[in-house]
Amino acid sequence: MTNPPITFVIAGSEATGGAGVQADLRTLQQLGVYGAATLTCIVSFDPNDGWNHRFVPIDSQVIRDQAEATLADWTPNSVKIGMLGTVPTIETVRDILAAAKLPNVVCDPVLICKGQEPGAALDIDNALRGEILPLVDVITPNYFETCTLAGVESIESVAALGDAAKKIGDAGVKAVLVKGGMAMPGDHAVDVLWDGSELVEYSRPKVGTNAVSGAGDSLATAVSAGLAQGKSLHDAVDAAKEFVTEGIRRALVGNTPFDVVWQGE
């Protein structure tokens, strides 16, 4: 048997399975890519406290140990970075990436986890900008993260979404895929890619009216999967957009106040 492409996932665990590494590995399996995962934190929703996140970071040495095992076994074709959550974790992942020099690094820049101290957001934001973003090939911020990274209060149009993507790119990121999602007006969910030379829009009709957990994780992971398979960035983004749109159409309904994207048939 010929081995499939390999994607190295560095992200957190989300116990209900809707997001985080659980969603990443389902996405990779569905797309025909083998996923190996290094956990950075454990997130557990608290159903007795408005479904806030109970956030537990994983020790930096344990993160290094996981990465060491993965990289001794496999030669990844791409990397997907998700929830990091603390400055020490960010610094540890920086060291792993700098030493391994892996291709096709896609970062979903989760700035803060609901339930964490708000003051932690600025430290995490600064650490991500300074330590992680210079080492990645593609960043996939959602609406909130785009506003934060671009330094703007709000984004009201697709044109402004593109301007924000270019501003983030000017900070040294090679390619920026900003996700308008449900936050943007109109009947279409529009994402905009700044590839360093041009802006390209990826649009699909909106599905429902609510945000769906795991959609952002799945999109970034699907982009990483496409790059691992040798697709161009534009083709990888277009395929990922279609994959996640279908996943939202098939969203699962549980007892949380939000639905969950489903990567299966």
PDB file of all heavy atoms in Angstrom, residues 16 45 51 253-260:
ATOM      1  N   THR A  16     -16.175  17.376  23.417  1.00  0.00           N
ATOM      2  CA  THR A  16     -17.413  16.909  22.791  1.00  0.00           C
ATOM      3  C   THR A  16     -17.180  16.407  21.372  1.00  0.00           C
ATOM      4  O   THR A  16     -18.067  15.784  20.782  1.00  0.00           O
ATOM      5  CB  THR A  16     -18.483  18.020  22.752  1.00  0.00           C
ATOM      6  OG1 THR A  16     -18.113  19.017  21.791  1.00  0.00           O
ATOM      7  CG2 THR A  16     -18.683  18.649  24.124  1.00  0.00           C
ATOM      8  N   PHE A  45     -16.107  21.926  27.619  1.00  0.00           N
ATOM      9  CA  PHE A  45     -17.238  22.821  27.867  1.00  0.00           C
ATOM     10  C   PHE A  45     -17.800  22.569  29.262  1.00  0.00           C
ATOM     11  O   PHE A  45     -17.802  21.439  29.753  1.00  0.00           O
ATOM     12  CB  PHE A  45     -18.353  22.586  26.852  1.00  0.00           C
ATOM     13  CG  PHE A  45     -18.023  23.028  25.451  1.00  0.00           C
ATOM     14  CD1 PHE A  45     -18.177  22.157  24.384  1.00  0.00           C
ATOM     15  CD2 PHE A  45     -17.561  24.304  25.184  1.00  0.00           C
ATOM     16  CE1 PHE A  45     -17.892  22.556  23.085  1.00  0.00           C
ATOM     17  CE2 PHE A  45     -17.268  24.713  23.899  1.00  0.00           C
ATOM     18  CZ  PHE A  45     -17.439  23.836  22.847  1.00  0.00           C
ATOM     19  N   TRP A  51     -21.814  26.921  29.005  1.00  0.00           N
ATOM     20  CA  TRP A  51     -20.954  26.249  28.022  1.00  0.00           C
ATOM     21  C   TRP A  51     -19.642  26.992  27.814  1.00  0.00           C
ATOM     22  O   TRP A  51     -19.038  26.935  26.745  1.00  0.00           O
ATOM     23  CB  TRP A  51     -21.693  26.028  26.692  1.00  0.00           C
ATOM     24  CG  TRP A  51     -22.883  25.147  26.863  1.00  0.00           C
ATOM     25  CD1 TRP A  51     -24.161  25.533  27.112  1.00  0.00           C
ATOM     26  CD2 TRP A  51     -22.903  23.704  26.850  1.00  0.00           C
ATOM     27  NE1 TRP A  51     -24.977  24.437  27.261  1.00  0.00           N
ATOM     28  CE2 TRP A  51     -24.237  23.298  27.105  1.00  0.00           C
ATOM     29  CE3 TRP A  51     -21.921  22.732  26.661  1.00  0.00           C
ATOM     30  CZ2 TRP A  51     -24.611  21.967  27.157  1.00  0.00           C
ATOM     31  CZ3 TRP A  51     -22.291  21.402  26.706  1.00  0.00           C
ATOM     32  CH2 TRP A  51     -23.632  21.035  26.950  1.00  0.00           C
ATOM     33  N   VAL A 253     -26.845  18.126  15.576  1.00  0.00           N
ATOM     34  CA  VAL A 253     -27.513  18.872  16.643  1.00  0.00           C
ATOM     35  C   VAL A 253     -27.392  18.095  17.945  1.00  0.00           C
ATOM     36  O   VAL A 253     -27.817  16.939  18.027  1.00  0.00           O
ATOM     37  CB  VAL A 253     -29.002  19.102  16.313  1.00  0.00           C
ATOM     38  CG1 VAL A 253     -29.697  19.853  17.447  1.00  0.00           C
ATOM     39  CG2 VAL A 253     -29.148  19.857  14.995  1.00  0.00           C
ATOM     40  N   GLY A 254     -26.768  18.700  18.934  1.00  0.00           N
ATOM     41  CA  GLY A 254     -26.657  18.085  20.255  1.00  0.00           C
ATOM     42  C   GLY A 254     -27.357  18.943  21.285  1.00  0.00           C
ATOM     43  O   GLY A 254     -28.318  19.649  20.976  1.00  0.00           O
ATOM     44  N   ASN A 255     -26.863  18.934  22.499  1.00  0.00           N
ATOM     45  CA  ASN A 255     -27.460  19.713  23.569  1.00  0.00           C
ATOM     46  C   ASN A 255     -26.775  21.056  23.801  1.00  0.00           C
ATOM     47  O   ASN A 255     -27.209  21.823  24.657  1.00  0.00           O
ATOM     48  CB  ASN A 255     -27.446  18.909  24.875  1.00  0.00           C
ATOM     49  CG  ASN A 255     -28.389  17.724  24.809  1.00  0.00           C
ATOM     50  OD1 ASN A 255     -29.475  17.811  24.254  1.00  0.00           O
ATOM     51  ND2 ASN A 255     -27.969  16.601  25.369  1.00  0.00           N
ATOM     52  N   THR A 256     -25.707  21.323  23.050  1.00  0.00           N
ATOM     53  CA  THR A 256     -25.063  22.630  23.140  1.00  0.00           C
ATOM     54  C   THR A 256     -25.950  23.663  22.427  1.00  0.00           C
ATOM     55  O   THR A 256     -26.800  23.306  21.602  1.00  0.00           O
ATOM     56  CB  THR A 256     -23.687  22.606  22.458  1.00  0.00           C
ATOM     57  OG1 THR A 256     -23.834  22.122  21.118  1.00  0.00           O
ATOM     58  CG2 THR A 256     -22.717  21.724  23.223  1.00  0.00           C
ATOM     59  N   PRO A 257     -25.754  24.960  22.726  1.00  0.00           N
ATOM     60  CA  PRO A 257     -26.546  26.001  22.058  1.00  0.00           C
ATOM     61  C   PRO A 257     -26.088  26.284  20.630  1.00  0.00           C
ATOM     62  O   PRO A 257     -26.522  27.255  20.017  1.00  0.00           O
ATOM     63  CB  PRO A 257     -26.333  27.221  22.967  1.00  0.00           C
ATOM     64  CG  PRO A 257     -25.049  26.977  23.641  1.00  0.00           C
ATOM     65  CD  PRO A 257     -24.924  25.498  23.819  1.00  0.00           C
ATOM     66  N   PHE A 258     -25.226  25.476  20.083  1.00  0.00           N
ATOM     67  CA  PHE A 258     -24.756  25.618  18.708  1.00  0.00           C
ATOM     68  C   PHE A 258     -24.668  24.222  18.081  1.00  0.00           C
ATOM     69  O   PHE A 258     -24.563  23.223  18.781  1.00  0.00           O
ATOM     70  CB  PHE A 258     -23.377  26.290  18.673  1.00  0.00           C
ATOM     71  CG  PHE A 258     -22.415  25.757  19.701  1.00  0.00           C
ATOM     72  CD1 PHE A 258     -21.718  24.578  19.485  1.00  0.00           C
ATOM     73  CD2 PHE A 258     -22.242  26.421  20.902  1.00  0.00           C
ATOM     74  CE1 PHE A 258     -20.846  24.076  20.436  1.00  0.00           C
ATOM     75  CE2 PHE A 258     -21.370  25.920  21.864  1.00  0.00           C
ATOM     76  CZ  PHE A 258     -20.678  24.752  21.629  1.00  0.00           C
ATOM     77  N   ASP A 259     -24.761  24.191  16.760  1.00  0.00           N
ATOM     78  CA  ASP A 259     -24.624  22.939  16.043  1.00  0.00           C
ATOM     79  C   ASP A 259     -23.147  22.644  15.758  1.00  0.00           C
ATOM     80  O   ASP A 259     -22.272  23.472  16.055  1.00  0.00           O
ATOM     81  CB  ASP A 259     -25.424  22.983  14.735  1.00  0.00           C
ATOM     82  CG  ASP A 259     -26.912  23.180  14.978  1.00  0.00           C
ATOM     83  OD1 ASP A 259     -27.375  22.851  16.073  1.00  0.00           O
ATOM     84  OD2 ASP A 259     -27.591  23.689  14.066  1.00  0.00           O
ATOM     85  N   VAL A 260     -22.875  21.490  15.184  1.00  0.00           N
ATOM     86  CA  VAL A 260     -21.500  21.047  14.955  1.00  0.00           C
ATOM     87  C   VAL A 260     -21.355  20.598  13.505  1.00  0.00           C
ATOM     88  O   VAL A 260     -22.162  19.787  13.022  1.00  0.00           O
ATOM     89  CB  VAL A 260     -21.136  19.894  15.902  1.00  0.00           C
ATOM     90  CG1 VAL A 260     -19.782  19.314  15.556  1.00  0.00           C
ATOM     91  CG2 VAL A 260     -21.165  20.356  17.358  1.00  0.00           C
TER      92      VAL A 260
END
